[in-house]
Amino acid sequence: MKMKVYALSLVIPLLLLGAVLGEKLPSKQTHSKVDEKLKLLNKVSLKTIQTEYGDVIDCVEIYKQTAFDHPSLKNHTLQMKPSFYPATKSKNWSSLRGMSQSWWKSGSCPMGTIPIRRILRQELLNGTSPENYGRKNPYIVNPNRTTVTQETNKTHTFNFLDKNGTSNFLNGTSNNLYVNRSTAMLITEGYSYIGAKGEINVWNPYIEKTNEYSTAQIWLVSGSREGMESVEAGWMVNPTLYGDTKTRFFIYWTADGSQTTGCFDLTCTGFVQTNHEVALGSPIEPVSSEFGPQYEIAIFIFMDVNTSNWWLLLNHKEVGYWPGELFVLLRGSAKVVQFGGEVYSETIGKEGVKHTSTAMGSGGDARDMYTGAAYIHHVRIIDYSLTEKYPEWVMEYMDEPYCYSAYNYVQYIKEPEFYFGGHGSHWNPYCQ
Ligand SMILES: *[C@@H]1O[C@H](CO)[C@@H](O)[C@H](O)[C@H]1NC(C)=O
Ligand SMILES: *[C@@H]1O[C@H](CO)[C@@H](O)[C@H](O)[C@H]1NC(C)=O
Ligand SMILES: *[C@@H]1O[C@H](CO)[C@@H](O)[C@H](O)[C@H]1NC(C)=O
Ligand SMILES: *[C@@H]1O[C@H](CO)[C@@H](O)[C@H](O)[C@H]1NC(C)=O
Ligand SMILES: *[C@@H]1O[C@H](CO)[C@@H](O)[C@H](O)[C@H]1NC(C)=O
Ligand SMILES: *[C@@H]1O[C@H](CO)[C@@H](O)[C@H](O)[C@H]1NC(C)=O
Ligand SMILES: *[C@@H]1O[C@H](CO)[C@@H](O)[C@H](O)[C@H]1NC(C)=O
Ligand SMILES: *[C@@H]1O[C@H](CO)[C@@H](O)[C@H](O)[C@H]1NC(C)=O
Ligand SMILES: *[C@@H]1O[C@H](CO)[C@@H](O)[C@H](O)[C@H]1NC(C)=O
C-alpha cells in the first residue's frame, strides 16, 4: 500500500517534468513494471544510510535478501563461509594499499545485515527497459567482424606466451567478434578451472557517452560463446547503471550470454551476499594516478567444491557467492579464465561511425606499464588440485589492438605483470 502512494507521488512530478522537457514519456505499463521491480529489489531495511555522493544504502537482514526470491533457490541453504579454501602459496603478496568504499564515511551496517545500494525509480526508467535493467546487452556475434592475426594487421591479435615468455602468434581462426564490445585481456584455457585471482589497480577512465561503460575485471567462463555462463568481478565506470562516472566495485553473472539471465551487483535475484561491510556497486577509493601511487583491489573467485557455490573475496574477505543452482556448466568448472578490460559502445565495429573515445584502464597503452597503464598482478588460477598456480599457458588477446592493448610483461622478472588499456579514438587515428 505504502509502495503505491510513493509511486503515484513520483509519477506526477515526472509526468510534468517530461512534459516540460518535451520528452517521450514512459508508458503506464513501464511504470507498473518499474513498481514491480522496485518492490522486488528494495527490501525492508533495518537501517538506511544517506551518503554524501547521493547513493542510499539499505541495511537488509541477510535472510531477507533478494537472492532467495530466485526460483532455483527455493530450497537453498545459506552458506556463511566457504567449507574450504584452496591452498595458497605461503608467499606474502600483501602489497595492497588500503581500499575503501566511499559510503563508509556515512555509516555502517550491523552484523546480520547486508548493505544494498538502493535502486532509484529514475535509474530504472533511464535503462532500456525494467526487464533488462542491470543486465549487459547480450553477447551477440557480429558476422561483419572476424578475427585476423597481427600479421595481417586487421582487428585482432592472438599471442600465446609460455612461462618463459616465448611468444607464438597464432593465425586467426574464423571466430567472429561480439557486437558493440572491445576487450583487451589475458586468457587462459585448456583446463578445468575452479578459481582465479589477481590484484587490479584502480583507475577512473573517461567515458564518452552515458550509455557506454568500461571495466577492469576477472571472468570465469564456461559454455558456448553466445550462451556463455560466467561469473565476473572488478571495477567499472557505468553512467547508465549508476548515474555518475565514479569508479565502482561491481560483480556480474549470466547463465545464457546475457540474453535473459543475470545482472550486475544485486539488481536481480541470484548472488547471495554474506558480508556486512562491502556494498556491491558502490564507489571505491582512492584511484591510482599517472606516475603516482597505485591503488589495488584483490579479487579472488573460487568454487566451493562441496557446494558448487562460487565464492567471491574482495581484499581477502568473503563478500558472498553465486549459488551453483544458477548454472549448469559452472556447477562443474570454468573452461576459460580472462583477466583484463571491456569497453561497451554502440560505435565499436561499425563501418562509417567514429569509434568511441571511451578509455579502458588508465587510458594509457598497455606498454606504458607500471603507473602508466592498468595492470593485474599476481595472476593465479586454481584447478582441481585445489592449489593456486600461475597458468601454464596464457594468451594476450585484443579485439582492436590499435584501440585497446594487452601486454604480458615477463622478461627479467620472476612474477609476470599483465598490463592493458587504451584511449580508444582519442588523439588516435589508428583506432577507427
Ligand atoms: C525443493 O524441494 C522440493 C522437495 O524436495 C522439490 O520438490 C522441489 O523440486 C525443490 N525445488 C527446487 C527449486 O529445487
Ligand atoms: C604479510 O604481511 C603483513 C603486513 O606486512 C603481515 O602483517 C603478515 O603477518 C604477513 N603474513 C605472512 C604470512 O607473512
Ligand atoms: C553487417 O553488415 C551488413 C551490411 O553492411 C549490415 O546490414 C548489418 O547490419 C551488419 N550487421 C551488424 C551486426 O553490424
Ligand atoms: C598496420 O596498420 C597501421 C595503421 O593503419 C599502419 O601504420 C601499419 O603500417 C600497418 N602495418 C602493416 C605491416 O601493414
Ligand atoms: C623454459 O626454459 C627452461 C630453461 O631454459 C626450459 O628448460 C623449459 O623447457 C622452458 N619451458 C618451456 C615451456 O618452453
Ligand atoms: C600463419 O600463417 C602464415 C602465412 O600463411 C604461416 O607462414 C605461418 O606459419 C602460420 N603460423 C601458424 C602458427 O600457423
Ligand atoms: C537519467 O538520465 C538523465 C539523462 O541522461 C541523467 O541526467 C540523469 O542523471 C539520469 N538519472 C539517474 C538517476 O541515473
Ligand atoms: C570440502 O571439500 C574438501 C576438499 O575436497 C574436503 O577436504 C572437506 O572435508 C570438505 N568439507 C566438507 C564439510 O564436506
Ligand atoms: C549495439 O548497438 C546498437 C546501436 O548501434 C543497438 O541497437 C544494439 O542493440 C546493440 N547490440 C548489442 C548486442 O549490444
Side-chain angles (χ1 to χ4, degrees):
M1 211 52 222
K2 211 171 166 202
M3 202 64 212
K4 274 208 176 115
V5 175
Y6 175 69
L8 267 179
S9 64
L10 264 165
V11 170
I12 293 160
L14 264 178
L15 286 173
L16 290 174
L17 183 68
V20 170
L21 299 175
E23 279 173 5
K24 206 177 109 228
L25 293 171
S27 67
K28 235 189 197 154
Q29 289 99 311
T30 306
H31 273 291
S32 70
K33 279 183 187 152
V34 164
D35 287 342
E36 242 171 70
K37 184 102 185 174
L38 284 173
K39 203 168 159 189
L40 178 71
L41 294 180
N42 293 335
K43 298 288 184 187
V44 178
S45 65
L46 285 187
K47 182 179 171 186
T48 293
I49 297 162
Q50 176 68 54
T51 68
E52 310 166 342
Y53 55 91
D55 281 3
V56 174
I57 302 288
D58 287 313
C59 308
V60 172
E61 277 180 88
I62 195 161
Y63 291 98
K64 295 194 175 152
Q65 63 183 296
T66 330
F68 302 117
D69 295 334
H70 193 284
S72 305
L73 300 181
K74 287 278 184 295
N75 301 334
H76 183 79
T77 313
L78 175 70
Q79 193 182 10
M80 281 304 287
K81 288 267 173 201
S83 68
F84 89 108
Y85 291 88
T88 52
K89 299 261 157 48
S90 55
K91 282 191 204 100
N92 196 347
W93 293 128
S94 70
S95 61
L96 291 179
R97 290 163 191 266
M99 174 222 83
S100 74
Q101 281 203 307
S102 312
W103 71 275
W104 293 348
K105 289 176 212 151
S106 312
S108 62
C109 280
M111 296 279 274
T113 70
I114 60 164
I116 301 180
R117 179 181 177 274
R118 189 183 291 177
I119 314 287
L120 303 176
R121 165 170 293 273
Q122 193 53 46
E123 289 176 347
L124 276 177
L125 289 170
N126 268 8
T128 46
S129 71
E131 294 86 3
N132 291 334
Y133 174 77
R135 190 176 303 136
K136 290 186 184 182
N137 275 343
Y139 278 79
I140 294 174
V141 165
N142 185 341
N144 303 340
R145 295 179 78 205
T146 42
T147 58
V148 190
T149 54
Q150 191 173 60
E151 294 93 286
T152 55
N153 198 16
K154 277 277 171 60
T155 48
H156 167 101
T157 317
F158 290 111
N159 187 10
F160 270 102
L161 299 171
D162 67 17
K163 278 183 202 150
N164 295 349
T166 313
S167 153
N168 281 284
F169 282 101
L170 292 191
N171 288 330
T173 53
S174 64
N175 277 337
N176 291 83
L177 304 184
Y178 292 115
V179 174
N180 301 354
R181 290 167 196 283
S182 195
T183 54
M185 309 184 287
L186 190 72
I187 302 182
T188 183
E189 54 190 347
Y191 294 86
S192 293
Y193 304 97
I194 61 157
K197 66 199 283 196
E199 289 143 26
I200 312 176
N201 66 344
V202 180
W203 295 89
N204 184 243
Y206 169 74
I207 307 291
E208 184 183 330
K209 297 203 186 77
T210 54
N211 63 355
E212 302 178 332
Y213 62 76
S214 181
T215 75
Q217 60 171 113
I218 297 177
W219 293 255
L220 289 118
V221 182
S222 217
S224 70
R225 282 151 54 79
E226 285 178 284
M228 74 176 194
E229 300 183 13
S230 73
V231 291
E232 312 173 17
W235 59 255
M236 171 168 71
V237 181
N238 185 337
T240 299
L241 186 61
Y242 301 123
D244 64 21
T245 56
K246 289 180 190 305
T247 302
R248 292 164 181 260
F249 174 57
F250 85 97
I251 64 164
Y252 191 78
W253 69 274
T254 179
D256 64 354
S258 299
Q259 316 284 325
T260 61
T261 61
C263 63
F264 288 111
D265 309 332
L266 299 178
T267 60
C268 67
T269 59
F271 186 81
V272 176
Q273 185 164 340
T274 55
N275 184 300
H276 70 105
E277 292 173 322
V278 175
L280 301 170
S282 282
I284 46 179
E285 48 189 46
V287 298
S288 309
S289 55
E290 204 181 352
F291 307 123
Q294 303 299 298
Y295 298 96
E296 303 171 345
I297 54 174
I299 303 288
F300 184 16
I301 299 171
F302 72 93
M303 191 181 76
D304 182 334
V305 290
N306 299 315
T307 59
S308 286
N309 294 334
W310 285 88
W311 277 89
L312 167 69
L313 277 68
L314 172 66
N315 294 352
H316 317 293
K317 282 191 193 137
E318 299 85 5
V319 176
Y321 59 88
W322 294 273
E325 291 95 322
L326 299 176
F327 307 106
V328 177
L329 300 166
L330 278 182
R331 242 180 259 188
S333 66
K335 294 301 179 204
V336 181
V337 183
Q338 304 171 170
F339 303 84
E342 174 178 273
V343 168
Y344 178 87
S345 164
E346 295 177 349
T347 69
I348 289 172
K350 297 269 183 313
E351 291 290 329
V353 176
K354 187 181 163 289
H355 192 284
T356 183
S357 61
T358 287
M360 181 192 291
S362 67
D365 185 89
R367 286 180 192 258
D368 293 345
M369 295 181 56
Y370 192 71
T371 75
Y375 64 71
I376 303 186
H377 284 176
H378 301 125
V379 161
R380 293 289 184 275
I381 54 95
I382 292 150
D383 59 19
Y384 266 102
S385 69
L386 307 186
T387 48
E388 66 171 58
K389 48 181 88 154
Y390 191 79
E392 184 149 1
W393 285 90
V394 292
M395 173 173 83
E396 289 167 345
Y397 176 96
M398 291 161 260
D399 283 326
E400 304 173 296
Y402 295 104
C403 303
Y404 309 108
S405 54
Y407 178 47
N408 199 37
Y409 181 68
V410 290
Q411 283 89 26
Y412 317 120
I413 49 173
K414 271 222 168 92
E415 177 65 38
E417 297 174 352
F418 175 64
Y419 294 95
F420 62 100
H423 45 82
S425 65
H426 184 67
W427 290 104
N428 185 359
Y430 298 125
C431 175
Q432 303 300 343

